[in-house]
Amino acid sequence: MRILIVEDDINLNRQLAEALKEAGYVVDTAFDGEEGHFLGDTEPYDAIILDIGLPEMDGITVLEKWRGAGRAMPVLILTARDRWSDKVAGIDAGADDYVAKPFHVEEVLARIRALIRRAAGHASSEIICGPVRLDTKSSKATVDGKPLKLTSHEYRLLAYLMHHKGEVVSRTELVEHMYDQDFDRDSNTIEVFVGRLRKKMGVDLIETVRGLGYRIQAPTNAN
């Protein structure tokens, strides 16, 4: 899962980025509204954290431009605690949720997890597909109750496929959501990670759809 943070406070931006990376996300950062707008308009993100008070272009304008252009990714806005009008303006502009400053980073992480789950149609923090269970809160996966020891890239791949279970996901889409903007992307590595995942899971869960990509089928009794 790939997140964009648009926040001009360097320390806060770094703090959020470190926490998200530790939780298993790929993170891009921007420090003003113009840069943030450009990234959000040209790169595919699973969610965006957007400060309202930004230099160059304020957060409300950035959000309105994204929504006006049809960009539908979940957006969590950061507002000043005593500015209820910012919260209203943000929601009216198309924000999906907000957090008031100062805040606990754990709250931001929880809200981001919830936004990504809802966007993919999942109500619970656990996504289950057959014997495989993905706990988005702890960033852990199990097969038949036994923990899977995954690298960060393997976890990101499994998490993206399980969030979009039942859908065919192309190699290009996986690459775009597994690596940040500065990473030297190579879609051929996806096949390597898929092979490793299949071997570690020991179950026939990831289907190769020839010429299109990969799919995790959703059993009829899955959540």
Side-chain angles (χ1 to χ4, degrees), residues 45-76:
Y45 292 103
D46 296 291
I48 294 178
I49 299 172
L50 176 68
D51 186 33
I52 293 296
L54 293 168
E56 307 301 333
M57 185 188 301
D58 67 88
I60 298 297
T61 300
V62 170
L63 183 53
E64 288 175 339
K65 285 179 174 290
W66 284 337
R67 297 311 191 214
R71 303 291 287 169
M73 62 281 183
V75 175
L76 173 72

Side-chain angles (χ1 to χ4, degrees), residues 10-75:
I10 295 175
N11 290 330
L12 180 56
N13 194 315
R14 184 177 63 248
Q15 182 183 11
L16 287 169
E18 289 175 353
L20 285 162
K21 289 176 182 177
E22 189 173 318
Y25 296 98
V26 177
V27 181
D28 291 335
T29 58
F31 297 90
D32 64 67
E34 287 188 356
E35 181 185 14
H37 171 259
F38 174 77
L39 288 175
D41 201 41
T42 57
E43 296 285 338
Y45 292 103
D46 296 291
I48 294 178
I49 299 172
L50 176 68
D51 186 33
I52 293 296
L54 293 168
E56 307 301 333
M57 185 188 301
D58 67 88
I60 298 297
T61 300
V62 170
L63 183 53
E64 288 175 339
K65 285 179 174 290
W66 284 337
R67 297 311 191 214
R71 303 291 287 169
M73 62 281 183
V75 175

Side-chain angles (χ1 to χ4, degrees), residues 140-193:
K140 306 286 186 185
T142 58
V143 177
D144 290 324
K146 298 177 181 178
L148 274 175
K149 295 185 67 175
L150 303 175
T151 66
S152 60
H153 285 94
E154 290 166 355
Y155 175 80
R156 290 170 192 164
L157 175 59
L158 179 61
Y160 194 83
L161 288 174
M162 287 192 69
H163 272 85
H164 297 85
K165 62 184 180 181
E167 304 174 20
V168 177
V169 181
S170 70
R171 290 177 178 82
T172 300
E173 183 176 347
L174 287 169
V175 168
E176 289 176 337
H177 288 266
M178 284 177 61
Y179 303 119
D180 62 38
Q181 63 181 129
D182 298 323
F183 195 88
D184 184 13
R185 302 171 182 179
D186 181 0
S187 63
N188 292 328
T189 60
I190 297 299
E191 296 179 9
V192 175
F193 291 133

